[in-house]
């Protein structure tokens, strides 16, 4: 069975029906070289949401290989599907946020939030918009996909590190962005950044209490010394 994180990338696969008709499929030797030179998940995927890097790479945990998926300037749905199929059981990773957590096949909030670098997404949504020029006609499609129960890299204040990407050429533009509508970090009761904020407040109160205690101790000691002198 395909892993749950595939739901997030469905819009990109669906958009290929439109963009493959509009895009120019150039050679991919540069992208192949760029991706194949990466030897671990982080370096392989961390540039995928960087607008200054054209190549998008996917990491396959089973084979420990980094494979060129497509170019942002000339998205090729056939090439992308072929890259995904090259990873056994479809357990590919396309976002650096997946490197920490999703590759471990975690199925519950309790399992996920035991790791400080992971967040549990109870509910998320991916939006996508495609505009393409086909035979002189502009075709526009916008839609979204909802997904649930996913362990994703993130932190207690910023939440999950979800992908946001824009691709295209002169003939088409594809934008997609994922958001976590409900997420948890370090526990499964307090939603969002509330738990991290609570911890920060507690630490701050303790710190101020220590500062106040030390100040009071110094004040009392100096006062006692002055009384003894008199």
């Amino acid at each position: 069975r395909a892993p749950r994180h595939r739901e997030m990338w469905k819009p990109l696969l669906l958009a290929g029906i439109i963009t493959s008709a509009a895009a120019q499929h150039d050679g991919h030797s540069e992208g192949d070289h760029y991706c194949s030179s990466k030897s671990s998940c982080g370096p392989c995927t961390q540039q995928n949401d960087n607008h200054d890097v054209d190549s998008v790479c996917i990491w396959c945990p089973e084979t420990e290989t980094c494979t060129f998926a497509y170019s942002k300037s000339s998205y090729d749905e056939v090439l992308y599907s072929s890259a995904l199929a090259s990873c056994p059981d479809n357990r590919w990773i396309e976002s650096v946020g997946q490197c920490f957590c999703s590759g471990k096949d975690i199925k519950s909030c309790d399992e996920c939030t035991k790791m400080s670098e992971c967040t549990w997404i109870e509910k998320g949504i991916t939006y996508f918009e495609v505009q393409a020029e086909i035979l002189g006609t502009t075709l526009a499609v916008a839609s979204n996909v909802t997904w649930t129960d996913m362990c994703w890299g993130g932190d207690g204040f910023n939440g999950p590190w979800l992908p946001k990407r824009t691709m295209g050429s002169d003939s088409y533009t594809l934008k997609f962005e994922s958001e976590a509508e409900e997420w948890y970090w370090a526990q499964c009761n307090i939603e969002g950044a509330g738990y991290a904020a609570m911890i920060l407040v507690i630490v701050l109160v303790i710190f101020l209490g220590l500062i106040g205690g030390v100040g009071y101790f110094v004040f009392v000691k100096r006062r006692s010394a002055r009384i003894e002198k008199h």
Side-chain angles (χ1 to χ4, degrees):
R1 187 170 63 89
R4 285 183 297 275
H5 74 254
R6 290 198 67 181
E7 296 296 316
M8 178 184 295
W9 303 102
K10 271 187 178 180
L12 195 56
L13 296 170
L14 294 173
I17 298 173
I18 299 174
T19 57
S20 59
Q24 298 295 319
H25 304 317
D26 302 322
H28 304 295
S29 58
E30 184 177 343
D32 286 335
H33 176 74
Y34 180 87
C35 297
S36 62
S37 66
K38 311 300 180 182
S39 59
S40 62
C41 183
C44 176
T45 58
Q46 67 183 359
Q47 84 293 327
N48 287 347
D49 294 320
N50 183 345
H51 298 306
D52 296 327
V53 179
D54 189 51
S55 298
V56 172
C57 312
I58 60 170
W59 177 257
C60 181
E62 295 288 329
T63 59
E64 296 189 343
T65 53
C66 185
T67 303
F68 176 62
Y70 58 88
S71 296
K72 297 170 190 171
S73 59
S74 57
Y75 174 64
D76 188 330
E77 192 270 339
V78 175
L79 178 67
Y80 183 44
S81 297
S82 175
L84 300 184
S86 68
C87 191
D89 298 324
N90 289 310
R91 296 191 178 278
W92 39 267
I93 293 176
E94 190 171 331
S95 173
V96 68
Q98 294 172 266
C99 293
F100 303 104
C101 313
S102 297
K104 300 175 183 178
D105 197 26
I106 297 167
K107 297 181 176 65
S108 72
C109 179
D110 288 334
E111 285 182 272
C112 177
T113 53
K114 287 178 181 177
M115 297 174 287
S116 61
E117 72 273 19
C118 299
T119 58
W120 177 256
I121 305 175
E122 192 75 17
K123 182 181 179 182
I125 187 167
T126 298
Y127 302 93
F128 84 98
E129 180 182 352
V130 184
Q131 287 188 341
E133 190 78 23
I134 301 176
L135 300 176
T137 302
T138 300
L139 179 63
V141 176
S143 188
N144 62 76
V145 173
T146 300
W147 36 274
T148 60
D149 300 339
M150 191 180 298
C151 191
W152 201 269
D155 61 65
F157 292 102
N158 300 303
W161 303 322
L162 293 172
K164 179 179 181 181
R165 201 168 300 164
T166 300
M167 301 167 291
S169 64
D170 293 337
S171 56
Y172 75 94
T173 301
L174 167 61
K175 300 178 181 179
F176 77 94
E177 180 177 1
S178 295
E179 296 179 358
E181 294 190 334
E182 183 179 347
W183 59 274
Y184 299 88
W185 174 79
Q187 44 74 56
C188 301
N189 297 310
I190 302 175
E191 182 187 345
Y195 185 70
M198 183 180 70
I199 292 176
L200 181 62
V201 169
I202 292 173
V203 171
L204 184 61
V205 169
I206 293 174
F207 176 75
L208 292 176
L210 290 173
I211 295 296
V214 170
Y216 180 74
F217 175 77
V218 171
F219 171 76
V220 171
K221 190 172 182 180
R222 287 180 176 176
R223 186 180 181 186
S224 299
R226 286 197 299 269
I227 292 173
E228 288 178 0
K229 287 181 180 180
H230 296 289

